[in-house]
Amino acid sequence: MPSLTRSRAEVEDVVAGSTSIEFVNYPAWRAAINDALDQWVHQSEDNAHDLGKLAVTEGRTRAPVRTGRLRRGIDYEVHEGENGWELRFFNEVPYAVFQEFGTRHVPAHPHMRPGMAAAVNQYTRLMLRGMK
Amino acid sequence: MTTSNATLAGAIKTVLEQASLGLQVFRTLAPPKARMPFCVVTEDVSWVALPDGDTDASDEMTVQEQVQVDIYQQLRTAEGTRTEVIGLEDIVCFLLRNTRLPTWVNHVYGVQILARSAGPASVGEVNVRRTIVTLQIDRLFANRT
């Protein structure tokens, strides 16, 4: 007759399930991941520059042009902050904010935000491709 | 005034006007004599397709669209009476945050508030405050059928 009570080990097995995960060649995987992360940290300044250049290109493509001053004013800089390398994407032309966000009487012509979003998207795709 | 949920701006208008805040919502540009407080919605600030699968060749495509919502408030009347609705910007953000916009064109997965900044509506303007709220909307991109 089967027992109506279960041992603690049996209960834990039911709760946790009997699934096990086997890491094949685990030390090699761990070393590879650590190498990749180390390389990523060391290259993060270069990565920030790459992203900045992409953002400038995308922003300039989208900037409204009459004289070209607004388009030329788009730039980026990379500096070391508290949380590592920081990218600042900006337009030094004073009226850029009115073009980007519009005014009460003039509709917006966004070019900085879509430029940055497109650059981040492109960069994410490049990273994903590199990881495959 | 009828509201339409055929566009993202229409869906945002539906959400905000149904809250009975006395807030009118316009698309892209407000009429010159619009009564404050009002909102202006700028769609398609940025539009990117999210990487999906190995080749992005799956049936469904998710896009991330940024939308700008400008809230204009008059602070005082010419006589000096206060007209500002305290906390209106907070209520608008609360209504839009994490909402599922009622749009029948494309399913909306979520709405996130990316940034908010306030300042005068134009240079030298001290009586009208403009608050810019940038939203990020994740939605399904599909054909209209």
Side-chain angles (χ1 to χ4, degrees):
Chain A
M1 185 176 172
S3 169
L4 294 177
T5 58
R6 288 176 171 178
S7 70
R8 186 175 174 82
E10 283 175 330
V11 172
E12 282 179 352
D13 190 42
V14 169
V15 172
S18 57
T19 309
S20 65
I21 301 169
E22 189 179 350
F23 288 93
V24 179
N25 202 10
Y26 174 62
W29 271 96
R30 192 171 56 184
I33 290 170
N34 283 340
D35 283 350
L37 287 174
D38 283 347
Q39 204 177 2
W40 176 252
V41 171
H42 290 139
Q43 289 183 348
S44 60
E45 186 186 2
D46 294 339
N47 294 329
H49 278 288
D50 289 345
L51 181 60
K53 284 174 194 164
L54 267 178
V56 168
T57 308
E58 294 292 335
R60 286 184 177 169
T61 310
R62 288 165 173 78
V65 177
R66 184 175 289 172
T67 62
R69 187 181 168 201
L70 185 79
R71 187 171 54 186
R72 281 195 303 275
I74 299 173
D75 209 347
Y76 80 96
E77 61 184 22
V78 175
H79 57 89
E80 196 166 11
E82 288 178 6
N83 302 315
W85 293 99
E86 291 175 1
L87 169 69
R88 184 171 160 258
F89 180 50
F90 60 92
N91 193 327
E92 59 190 9
V93 176
Y95 58 83
V97 62
F98 302 120
Q99 286 292 330
E100 176 69 27
F101 294 105
T103 68
R104 198 169 153 194
H105 306 291
V106 178
H109 294 97
H111 54 284
M112 299 291 283
R113 286 172 292 173
M116 194 66 202
V120 169
N121 192 255
Q122 272 190 43
Y123 202 68
T124 309
R125 284 172 188 274
L126 285 172
M127 282 170 60
L128 288 175
R129 203 178 295 161
M131 286 167 69
K132 283 176 188 168
Chain B
M1 180 174 287
T2 56
T3 56
S4 161
N5 57 3
T7 60
L8 279 181
I12 290 170
K13 181 182 172 75
T14 304
V15 168
L16 295 182
E17 291 191 347
Q18 280 182 351
S20 305
L21 299 169
L23 187 71
Q24 281 187 296
V25 181
F26 303 101
R27 187 168 183 241
T28 308
L29 200 59
K33 291 184 180 172
R35 253 187 97 185
M36 282 184 270
F38 63 80
C39 277
V40 178
V41 179
T42 308
E43 290 177 301
D44 213 3
V45 167
S46 82
W47 194 102
V48 291
L50 291 184
D52 188 16
D54 283 347
T55 58
D56 289 345
S58 57
D59 285 345
E60 293 185 345
M61 188 168 115
T62 305
V63 293
Q64 243 174 18
E65 183 172 342
Q66 283 184 24
V67 173
Q68 178 181 326
V69 179
D70 295 290
I71 309 159
Y72 289 93
Q73 272 216 82
Q74 186 181 27
L75 305 181
R76 289 182 187 274
T77 61
E79 294 79 36
T81 318
R82 182 189 290 273
T83 53
E84 180 189 4
V85 182
I86 306 285
L88 178 69
E89 292 84 359
D90 284 349
I91 297 170
V92 169
C93 288
F94 181 77
L95 288 169
L96 293 175
R97 181 183 162 271
N98 290 350
T99 183
R100 291 263 177 99
L101 292 174
T103 163
W104 57 264
V105 178
N106 292 311
H107 180 74
V108 171
Y109 297 115
V111 179
Q112 193 184 346
I113 295 175
L114 286 188
R116 174 177 149 180
S117 61
S122 56
V123 179
E125 175 73 74
V126 291
N127 197 29
V128 179
R129 186 175 63 221
R130 175 195 191 185
T131 305
I132 304 171
V133 181
T134 305
L135 305 175
Q136 181 169 284
I137 297 170
D138 287 22
R139 64 181 175 87
L140 178 71
F141 181 66
N143 282 333
R144 285 189 188 207
T145 51

